[in-house]
Amino acid sequence: MHPLLNIAVKAARRGGSIINRAALAGGGREVHAKRANDFVTEVDRAAEAAIIEIIRKAYPEHAILAEESGASRGAAQSDTTWIIDPLDGTTNFIHGFPQYCVSIGVQHRDTLTQAVVFDPVKDELYTATRGRGAFLNDRRIRVSSRTHLREALVGTGFPFKELSRLDSYMATLRTMMSSSAGVRRAGSAALDLAYVAAGRLDAFWELGLSKWDMAAGALLIQEAGGLVGDLTGGADFMESGDIIAGTPKVYAELLEALRA
């Protein structure tokens, strides 16, 4: 295992253990609204602090971009950035809906190089190193063999932070519901992307995501043989926040459908 990935796995498992303990304890979750429909709990913050502590001990010179604490000092001076979502699916966690995860990606300059998505509920660990494939609990994974959108199960996420885009999203949802085998919205983009890598979903699209929602999942899909891009088919999804992903042939059909 690559040394960076080893630290990412250690950090993700530490964050996951904090999340699991809080879930088992139930109640007592102090919830704050960052903005409409966007929440943070003390569990998010505790998990993030634990993750960052492990990374800092191993790589004190690296930059960190984390959902709750933002960009670290020195980010402009380092070529390596850790992109962290300590609890992707916070709203699910608050309600006891067991679909959430820890997501950690490592980016060297403009290239994603390491990825970990850890589902603490199912104890499923998704990992990838650029050029070395994608794995689920040490088992090699590949995207599904689906070749047509009409046969595909497609994941998505509602633009709950950017309601100004709701009309355009509903138009795309209408298209997907009539063009695919089904649409699923589970509430954790990072885990949805991991599911595409594992072949559980055949494709995924969402608007208005943040880098920490996409970084790890995008590399997992690429290393599992899938394609990831923005709504134009370009590679700027990390900057635009708009992402589509899937098996190579389903991706092409999905892109065409969304353009229409």
Side-chain angles (χ1 to χ4, degrees):
M1 182 179 289
H2 192 284
L4 286 168
L5 186 63
N6 187 49
I7 294 299
V9 168
K10 181 180 178 181
R13 287 197 178 277
R14 176 73 63 83
S17 68
I18 291 171
I19 294 166
N20 268 346
R21 284 199 301 271
L24 289 171
R29 300 170 187 156
E30 186 179 348
V31 180
H32 301 277
K34 293 188 282 187
R35 52 180 168 170
N37 300 324
D38 191 9
F39 304 100
V40 61
T41 70
E42 75 273 18
V43 179
D44 294 74
R45 293 179 175 135
E48 183 171 294
I51 290 166
I52 291 174
E53 181 183 12
I54 288 173
I55 294 168
R56 279 274 176 251
K57 285 182 178 178
Y59 299 102
E61 74 281 7
H62 287 181
I64 291 176
L65 175 63
E67 180 175 16
E68 307 309 333
S69 57
S72 67
R73 294 178 181 177
Q77 287 74 42
S78 177
D79 287 335
T80 302
T81 302
W82 295 71
I83 305 174
I84 302 163
D85 192 337
L87 177 49
D88 186 58
T90 297
T91 301
N92 285 350
F93 173 78
I94 291 168
H95 291 272
F97 188 83
Q99 188 78 0
Y100 43 82
C101 68
V102 179
S103 176
I104 302 175
V106 181
Q107 187 174 33
H108 182 71
R109 296 179 181 170
D110 295 327
T111 302
L112 294 168
T113 62
Q114 312 292 332
V116 173
V117 171
F118 179 52
D119 179 347
V121 177
K122 301 181 184 69
D123 193 26
E124 291 187 337
L125 181 72
Y126 301 83
T127 59
T129 294
R130 180 163 295 278
R132 298 186 185 180
F135 297 83
L136 169 54
N137 292 343
D138 298 322
R139 177 179 60 83
R140 186 74 177 260
I141 54 175
R142 299 283 297 178
V143 295
S144 80
S145 58
R146 298 279 189 279
T147 56
H148 296 290
L149 181 59
R150 66 176 180 271
E151 302 168 347
L153 185 63
V154 183
T156 189
F158 302 151
F160 61 94
K161 299 178 187 177
E162 298 185 28
L163 296 181
S164 62
R165 304 182 71 183
L166 189 57
D167 288 343
S168 61
Y169 173 78
M170 292 306 294
T172 63
L173 179 59
R174 187 177 300 108
T175 298
M176 287 302 102
M177 291 179 68
S178 61
S179 303
S180 68
V183 177
R184 298 291 182 268
R185 196 274 186 178
S188 171
L191 204 48
D192 288 340
L193 292 168
Y195 278 17
V196 174
R200 295 174 177 176
L201 292 171
D202 304 302
F204 177 83
W205 95 97
E206 189 167 352
L207 313 177
L209 291 174
S210 298
K211 290 181 179 181
W212 44 76
D213 299 314
M214 301 178 286
L219 181 59
L220 285 169
I221 292 170
Q222 291 168 341
E223 288 299 312
L227 297 177
V228 183
D230 58 26
L231 297 186
T232 69
D236 291 334
F237 58 92
M238 288 284 284
E239 301 304 323
S240 70
D242 299 338
I243 187 171
I244 67 170
T247 73
K249 292 187 176 179
V250 172
Y251 173 92
E253 289 190 19
L254 177 62
L255 179 59
E256 183 179 352
L258 291 177
R259 281 174 172 171

